[in-house]
Every structure is written in structure tokens, then in C-alpha cells.
Amino acid sequence: MNDYYKVKFTLAPCLAYECDILAALLADVGFESFEQTDDGVDAFVKKELWDKDAVSEVIKLYDFEAKIDFSEELVVGQDWNEEWEKHYFNPIVFEDKCVIHSSFHKDFPRLQYDIVIDPKMAFGTGHHETTSLMIKRILDAEMTGKSVLDMGTGTGVLAILSAMVGATHVVGVEIDPPAYENAVANAQLNGHPEIDLRLGGAETVTESNSFDFVLANINRNIITADIDRYASALKAGGEMMLSGFYVEDVPVVEAAANKCGLERVSVIEKNRWANLQLVKK
């Protein structure tokens, strides 16, 4: 068990899109998990990564409309499994094809793709707009017999779904050790231990021209920094699906992609969150 700081952010006025922006910025300074509240966001960061000055700087750098206050509370030796059992997400259904639920849920529809996710402190239950947009892309794609690279795999949900829809070689990369361990457990839980899960960042991807699909649901800064590696790993004619950023950020991400020989196919969005589909020429 790890010691965490629970940092309560209060926004006035509390605007949903600004809560999302704040969470994305906090992820860049080490925060792992977020819960939306009536007046803002509760965010969790490991004790050793807590940096009050860095958080203050994040708030200053972005021109938030809301006034933001925050306070921290040390949570010692928290059993996150128990917490998830107490405060768990509801099952979520996608296009009457896929259901995501926890191992604790009993009441959920039986659909073609049944994914069990016990996320603990990892991101990716399907409820966030970016994850749901990625799931839509996977359900709409033809992955049978294909190879898939999932960067920032989190709970492993996208890698698991890729395997379920027919991908025969799936690699998931996760830089955070607890999230990586969670992804390994979830892959086993869903009967897909063959998924190649790697602890680390883009440096763990040494393949060239090997994948039919590359998925990355991270954030704009990481994507633009590492997109050359993603592109190198992608086969000619292969597809890249990117999310974790806002519609306003699409031109920035697309410009970085174009430099790597990638061209836009389409953009879909949900509540101002974007998903950019690209093809490698």
C-alpha cells in the first residue's frame, strides 16, 4: 500500500470543462487519479511526488476563468482496492456491443464484448470522454488478425478490447508501475494474458514498421513529444488514433503528426474532447 495526498480543488464557478483541463494539467505533474465533485476535483498523487509549488504554477500558467483554491490531506497506507469497492463506477455500455464493469458488479447486460476492469488507481474505466472515443474507434475498426500498440495503456482497457475484437498481437505500454501492475491483472482477468504489457515509456517500443494500429490516449504534450516513435512503429498504411486533448489542440497535434508522414483521416469529439485519426503514407 502507498501513501497518497488527496488534494481537493475548489473551482468558483465550477465549470466541467475547466475541471477536465485542470485534471489533464495535474497529470503532467504526477497526479494519478481524479474524482469530480460538486464544486471541483479531488486529485490523488503519491506522497513522494507531491509538490505544492508545481501545482500552484500549473494554476498560474493556464488562464482559468474560475478562481481555484486547493488543500491537501495525507492518506496513509490507503487500501485502494477497498476504496474502489466502496465507491465504484457504474457499468457502461457502448453501442450495444461492449460493456465495461467491475468484478463487483452483478447487474449488467450480456453483450458481445464483456470487459472486467478493476482500475484501482489507474485511468481508464470508459467513463471519461477520451476513453469512450477510443473505444468507439476500436469498435468501428477492422482489427481481425492485426497488430496493435496501445501507448499509456492505464487499466489496459483499450488493449484488452483490441484483443477481444480480433487483434492477434497487442502491445500495451505504461510508465506508471502501479498502473502497469493493474493492466497485467486486468489482462489476466479478461482471459488475455498474451497481451504484451511493457513497463516504461516510448523507449520500450523498439519495433519499426510493425503495427497496423497505434493507439495513444495520453495528453497533448506527451503525444507531440513521442509521436515520431509512434509513427516509426506504424506500418505504411497503418492507422493512428490519438486522444487525451481538446478540439482546440487538434491543429497542434496534427502539425506534429504531419512532420512524421501522418495525414488526418477524421476527427470525432465529445464534450470538446477530441479523437484524431491519422494514416501513415
Side-chain angles (χ1 to χ4, degrees):
M1 293 186 289
N2 295 304
D3 295 344
Y4 278 78
Y5 272 101
K6 175 181 178 180
V7 186
K8 184 173 184 61
F9 293 87
T10 303
L11 283 72
C14 184
L15 306 172
Y17 78 91
E18 288 207 327
C19 289
D20 286 337
I21 292 171
L22 177 61
L25 294 172
L26 292 171
D28 289 339
V29 293
F31 284 78
E32 295 180 8
S33 186
F34 309 92
E35 295 176 2
Q36 189 128 5
T37 64
D38 291 339
D39 55 2
V41 177
D42 288 347
F44 297 84
V45 63
K46 286 181 182 174
K47 178 182 177 181
E48 59 269 25
L49 296 179
W50 166 239
D51 186 336
K52 189 170 186 176
D53 291 338
V55 170
S56 297
E57 193 63 24
V58 161
I59 294 172
K60 287 179 186 176
L61 285 175
Y62 193 89
D63 187 20
F64 286 98
E65 179 179 340
K67 179 180 182 295
I68 302 178
D69 294 315
F70 65 91
S71 60
E72 70 274 12
E73 171 192 359
L74 180 62
V75 185
V76 179
Q78 181 65 62
D79 185 343
W80 293 108
N81 293 338
E82 181 181 345
E83 287 303 296
W84 277 108
E85 287 188 43
K86 290 178 183 175
H87 311 291
Y88 216 61
F89 66 88
N90 293 319
I92 184 168
V93 174
F94 298 90
E95 300 180 7
D96 292 325
K97 294 180 183 178
C98 174
V99 59
I100 299 174
H101 60 91
S102 77
S103 59
F104 320 118
H105 287 132
K106 305 302 178 188
D107 184 17
F108 55 87
R110 271 53 180 178
L111 300 176
Q112 183 177 4
Y113 305 114
D114 184 312
I115 303 178
V116 183
I117 293 293
D118 288 342
K120 302 185 176 99
M121 288 297 288
F123 177 81
T125 61
H127 283 72
H128 195 274
E129 288 88 344
T130 60
T131 311
S132 64
L133 287 169
M134 293 297 285
I135 289 172
K136 174 175 174 54
R137 290 289 198 191
I138 294 171
L139 292 175
D140 290 346
E142 179 46 72
M143 290 189 172
T144 303
K146 303 297 186 180
S147 54
V148 178
L149 171 63
D150 178 25
M151 298 300 302
T153 197
T155 61
V157 63
L158 302 181
I160 292 165
L161 180 58
S162 297
M164 285 184 173
V165 301
T168 51
H169 177 53
V170 181
V171 174
V173 177
E174 176 54 54
I175 200 167
D176 179 64
Y180 163 78
E181 292 170 7
N182 186 217
V184 171
N186 285 326
Q188 294 277 352
L189 190 61
N190 285 275
H192 285 283
E194 80 283 358
I195 295 173
D196 178 3
L197 292 163
R198 304 176 185 177
L199 176 60
E203 77 284 348
T204 66
V205 183
T206 57
E207 297 91 336
S208 296
N209 304 309
S210 297
F211 295 95
D212 298 291
F213 294 90
V214 173
L215 317 175
N217 181 22
I218 311 179
N219 65 54
R220 189 192 77 176
N221 293 338
I222 294 177
I223 288 172
T224 55
D226 293 340
I227 197 167
D228 56 337
R229 288 186 184 247
Y230 306 165
S232 177
L234 189 62
K235 294 178 181 177
E239 294 183 24
M240 189 178 295
M241 303 166 185
L242 306 175
S243 198
F245 47 88
Y246 282 93
V247 173
E248 295 86 344
D249 295 320
V250 169
V252 176
V253 178
E254 187 175 359
N258 292 161
K259 293 177 182 177
C260 301
L262 300 162
E263 294 184 5
R264 181 204 287 216
V265 176
S266 68
V267 175
I268 55 176
E269 61 181 273
K270 185 176 182 181
N271 296 333
R272 295 181 57 247
W273 290 98
N275 184 293
L276 175 61
Q277 181 186 26
L278 303 152
V279 64
K280 182 177 179 180
K281 296 300 185 182

